Amino acid sequence: MTVVNVSRFLDEKAQTQSEVAALMVPRGRDSHGKIDYLRLSFRELAAEQNEWARRLRAKGIGKGSRVLLMVKPGLPLIAICFALFKIGAVPVVIDPGMGLKSFLNCVRRSQPEFLVGISLAVWVSRVFRKSFRSVRAKVKVGGPLDRVASGFAEEAAADTQRDDLAAVLFTSGSTGAPKGVCYEHGMFEAQVEAIRRQYQIEPGEVDLPMLPIFALFNPALGMTTVVPEINPSKPATVDPQKIVQAIQQCGVTNSFGSPALWAKIGVYCDSHDIELPSLKRILMAGAPVPPTLMKRFKRILTNGHVHSPYGATEVLPVSSVVDDEVLEIAAERSARGEGTCVGRILEGVEARILPLKDEAMEVGDLQRALPAGEIGEIVVTGPSVTKAYDQLPEATRLSKIVDGERVWHRIGDLGYIDADGRLWFCGRKVERVETVDGVFYTDRCEGVVNVHEKIFRSALIRYETDGQVVPALVLEPFAGMYPKSSDEEQALLREVRSLAAACEVTADIRHFFLHKGFPVDVRHNAKIHRLTLAKEFAGR
């Protein structure tokens, strides 16, 4: 059988782009205020990978070993990840910002045999010994600038196959408990090819990934990775000036980040009249991208576009939409309550809309696909679709449909495909509000009121009054625009009610509330915790 190992991408670039910068890690400022970077070529990064592979093998880590990876973004994270791929071990990556209780639950369930992490991670494993009971050896790692290789030496890759487990990546848990997603080597290869093809990424480009996991695609794409000055566990605290400086100084051509991050950066660019001509593309994902945000970046990106890829940890990418299509066609339809356009299905991916069902689906359900325009559950299949959750057979049964050799994934989202073949997102299945008068969908209702100039975002919630379940909308005004008096509050609510009453989708919503700051997910700081909001407003 043919060996398929993700580490080959870095080995290949060490030959074809040996002296091109692979990684740039900030280490302070020089006397002129410029960012001082540690710069490694692809050959030097491959040397780091190979040295780590030798060290990890010496610790007893080998093919199939589960390794909990707790390392800060920077040099060791990328080098160690590719080293683990090379030796056939399985990195287990858990979001550090999900909260200690959830984090420890994930550790216990994933049963790692080894821990590779910074000093704090080793300390946590000692304090919470029971959760780390499965760990039999620990490897301490230094900071983001830590180098281990003094020269280049070859290291053989394990003979992994396409369907061998490559990594366990945990979901953010924004609408439920976090789950470990099992990625195979072949799935990673399919993702790389899909991203390269869809966005026409070329070797030699420069990427600023504001979600650390996305930096792992860059060696495969031949892109330089510029590590951003950002706290990955608290991305909303990003200093936009630092991100803009990195883009300008390094000639960044590509960047990935959530709408919440780009909203802050966009405001900064507007207030300082900044353009970013080097950027060819911004990929915004993690939550629906407001058309107003895309419009703001039309001025800032003089030579590029905003793209919004759609998918999930379990399958990415599924579809993609570009700013021009949103602003020219989709924005007006979103304001009419038609949902959020997430673009056309990518080549090699197949999507269907099935009738809503809370129980497990069988292969026969695939034959009941709904016609264009009808809202149902989005299911997809393709080479990057994962097959299982780690150690969670019941969750796997509920989320997957086995169709011979193909596996379909139930994303947990509701939507429809329009007559022109575009996929529209209407909201998460668990966040729909079912009433005696019908079903209300989050993205359809929120799109109607989000066009108000003072509303940053809104959230449809399930609300109980007089013993009945009804829909309600919670409104978060832009920073600095929150009403300063009761009269101003009532005036704003009247304006929003008027907007809602004028649209058929929201005409029956009678309850509106104001909120100063929504609870959001830790990974993107963009996905609204609507179920948490519903509990907060219960009984009001």
Side-chain angles (χ1 to χ4, degrees):
M1 295 179 70
T2 303
V3 172
V4 177
N5 190 299
V6 182
S7 70
R8 74 175 177 84
F9 289 116
L10 181 51
D11 292 334
E12 288 172 0
K13 296 303 181 292
Q15 298 295 322
T16 61
Q17 296 176 233
S18 60
E19 300 308 314
V20 174
L23 184 63
M24 297 176 69
V25 188
R27 53 187 178 188
R29 296 293 188 277
D30 65 18
S31 58
H32 301 290
K34 283 192 169 186
I35 306 171
D36 176 33
Y37 285 102
L38 167 68
R39 179 191 182 279
L40 270 74
S41 67
F42 277 102
R43 185 171 177 80
E44 288 172 321
L45 183 57
E48 295 287 325
Q49 168 203 236
N50 291 341
E51 178 57 27
W52 272 114
R54 279 187 289 277
R55 293 187 180 197
L56 297 173
R57 276 172 166 155
K59 289 287 186 178
I61 301 174
K63 187 177 179 181
S65 298
R66 287 178 166 242
V67 182
L68 179 59
L69 193 57
M70 297 176 68
V71 182
K72 290 183 177 180
L75 169 56
L77 175 62
I78 297 176
I80 292 171
C81 244
F82 274 86
L84 291 170
F85 293 148
K86 173 161 274 195
I87 64 181
V90 180
V92 177
V93 182
I94 307 173
D95 199 320
M98 67 172 56
L100 183 61
K101 183 178 179 181
S102 293
F103 177 82
L104 294 176
N105 284 338
C106 293
V107 173
R108 283 193 293 272
R109 193 167 67 243
S110 58
Q111 293 287 296
E113 304 163 78
F114 299 89
L115 166 63
V116 176
I118 58 175
S119 297
L120 177 60
V122 175
W123 178 84
V124 168
S125 72
R126 291 170 180 161
V127 173
F128 300 97
R129 200 177 303 273
K130 287 185 179 179
S131 298
F132 289 80
R133 186 178 296 164
S134 62
V135 174
R136 54 189 176 91
K138 302 169 187 177
V139 180
K140 189 181 290 187
V141 179
L145 302 169
D146 193 31
R147 299 185 69 169
V148 295
S150 56
F152 185 88
E154 296 284 355
E155 184 72 13
D159 58 347
T160 52
Q161 307 298 314
R162 178 169 294 277
D163 58 357
D164 280 343
L165 186 61
V168 176
L169 310 179
F170 273 80
T171 64
S172 63
S174 56
T175 54
K179 299 184 285 290
V181 179
C182 296
Y183 263 87
E184 299 169 1
H185 281 270
M187 293 169 186
F188 276 132
E189 293 221 351
Q191 277 188 323
V192 168
E193 183 52 37
I195 292 169
R196 186 202 319 273
R197 182 173 58 237
Q198 177 66 25
Y199 301 111
Q200 299 179 336
I201 295 173
E202 299 176 351
E205 289 201 38
V206 181
D207 182 46
L208 185 80
M210 290 190 283
L211 186 65
I213 197 72
F214 271 77
L216 299 180
F217 288 109
N218 290 342
L221 295 166
M223 283 201 291
T224 300
T225 298
V226 178
V227 177
E229 295 176 293
I230 187 173
N231 182 346
S233 64
K234 296 179 180 179
T237 63
V238 64
D239 181 347
Q241 187 275 331
K242 291 181 177 179
I243 300 301
V244 169
Q245 183 180 6
I247 292 170
Q248 293 174 326
Q249 184 177 322
C250 300
V252 170
T253 63
N254 184 83
S255 187
F256 176 93
S258 76
L261 296 183
W262 286 110
K264 288 188 73 173
I265 296 164
V267 169
Y268 177 83
C269 289
D270 276 354
S271 63
H272 292 79
D273 197 25
I274 292 172
E275 296 177 346
L276 300 174
S278 69
L279 276 171
K280 294 182 178 181
R281 69 191 75 79
I282 293 176
L283 306 182
M284 295 188 192
V289 181
T292 52
L293 183 56
M294 287 188 168
K295 186 176 181 180
R296 166 168 271 157
F297 273 90
K298 290 297 286 183
R299 181 198 67 80
I300 298 168
L301 302 184
T302 55
N303 297 309
H305 291 276
V306 171
H307 300 260
S308 182
Y310 168 75
T313 306
E314 298 90 340
V315 48
L316 184 75
V318 171
S319 65
S320 187
V321 68
V322 67
D323 50 14
D324 286 344
E325 189 170 15
V326 170
L327 297 174
E328 293 171 10
I329 299 171
E332 184 180 343
R333 292 174 61 179
S334 294
R336 296 201 302 260
E338 296 186 31
T340 299
C341 180
V342 292
R344 299 180 187 278
I345 308 300
L346 268 60
E347 181 183 340
V349 178
E350 185 179 349
R352 294 183 190 176
I353 308 297
L354 302 183
L356 184 61
K357 186 176 181 180
D358 289 324
E359 303 80 22
M361 286 188 177
E362 307 299 335
V363 67
D365 288 297
L366 293 170
Q367 308 308 314
R368 301 170 59 215
L370 297 173
E374 285 197 29
I375 297 173
E377 188 172 342
I378 302 170
V379 301
V380 298
T381 189
S384 69
V385 171
T386 55
K387 301 173 184 174
Y389 291 113
D390 186 47
Q391 314 294 329
L392 292 171
E394 181 61 16
T396 298
R397 188 180 73 86
L398 288 171
S399 296
K400 308 295 179 182
I401 307 170
V402 179
D403 179 18
E405 294 186 356
R406 294 200 299 176
V407 174
W408 292 74
H409 178 67
R410 302 170 68 183
I411 296 182
D413 291 344
L414 303 175
Y416 62 93
I417 297 173
D418 68 15
D420 294 315
R422 298 185 187 90
L423 179 63
W424 290 74
F425 170 74
C426 294
R428 295 288 291 167
K429 183 169 69 171
V430 298
E431 293 175 338
R432 72 189 189 275
V433 178
E434 294 186 329
T435 74
V436 293
D437 296 320
V439 182
F440 292 78
Y441 304 96
T442 58
D443 265 54
R444 294 190 75 197
C445 297
E446 293 162 11
V448 174
V449 299
N450 284 349
V451 298
H452 191 286
E453 62 180 7
K454 291 185 179 180
I455 300 303
F456 170 45
R457 54 190 171 188
S458 60
L460 178 78
I461 62 169
R462 183 180 187 273
Y463 185 68
E464 289 192 29
T465 180
D466 298 327
Q468 281 194 323
V469 173
V470 297
L473 276 168
V474 186
L475 314 165
E476 181 185 340
F478 282 102
M481 292 188 179
Y482 196 90
K484 295 179 173 59
S485 67
S486 178
D487 286 345
E488 287 187 9
E489 285 186 6
Q490 293 307 312
L492 178 57
L493 289 172
R494 278 195 300 272
E495 291 173 9
V496 175
R497 281 194 184 97
S498 179
L499 261 180
C503 180
E504 182 182 355
V505 171
T506 50
D508 291 331
I509 299 178
R510 300 285 183 265
H511 299 273
F512 297 82
F513 304 101
L514 292 174
H515 199 284
K516 291 186 177 179
F518 287 170
V520 293
D521 70 298
V522 295
R523 179 171 297 172
H524 300 290
N525 281 181
K527 292 179 181 176
I528 302 167
H529 287 306
R530 294 176 181 84
L531 303 181
T532 301
L533 274 176
K535 292 178 182 177
E536 184 178 337
F537 284 92
R540 291 199 186 183

